[in-house]
Amino acid sequence: MSESEVRASRARIVAATHAARRGIERELHDGPQQHLVAMAVTLRLAESTVDTDPEAAKKMLEDLRQEVQATIRHLRDLAHSIYPPLLADRGLGEALQGAIGRATVDVNLTVAGDGNRRYPQETEAAVYFSCLEAIDAAKGPVSLWVGEEDGCLLFEAWGALANDAPALTNIADRVDTLGGTLVVDDTEEAHGLHLRGVIPLG
């Protein structure tokens, strides 16, 4: 990459980071924060009603229990979008398997070699979120391959991938930041869009 391309890539990453942070702030304000405020109101009503109308108080507490569960789910979903606990605790293989379970398209995942091997956090995050971008850009079944070759961590995605310019730019920026390369093949021989990302480990 030329120096100007590197600067542009870094500027896009900074802008994307700021946008993601603002999105998280909005999500917290409009979701869990509002739920917690509503739950506090319900709890005060239940406290004031428990002596005079135990059945009404019991119903409020049951509603409150369901609200607590919904808020926990919301926070878990938000945590997955920031940095999934499975990625932090168990690594790429299990984190990607968990992401596939939430995908809206069929995904065939192959993790070559030792699926439990850990890599630098920023490398794992780059591969994980790049694969998620590819899944999100898919219009139908997609295949993922992740493995290590010649001192590099590789990922490939192919199948019913849309030629989504923003998604491809995001993936390329993640890979470029770590000194890697992304090759996009959309020739007839590739049978659709084929992504191959290579990130050096040393």
Side-chain angles (χ1 to χ4, degrees), residues 32 48 81 108 128 144 149 159 177:
S48 65
S81 69
N108 177 40
Y128 176 84
L144 296 176
E149 290 182 5
T177 300

Side-chain angles (χ1 to χ4, degrees), residues 139-150:
K139 302 301 183 183
V142 62
S143 294
L144 296 176
W145 182 92
V146 177
E148 184 180 338
E149 290 182 5
D150 300 326

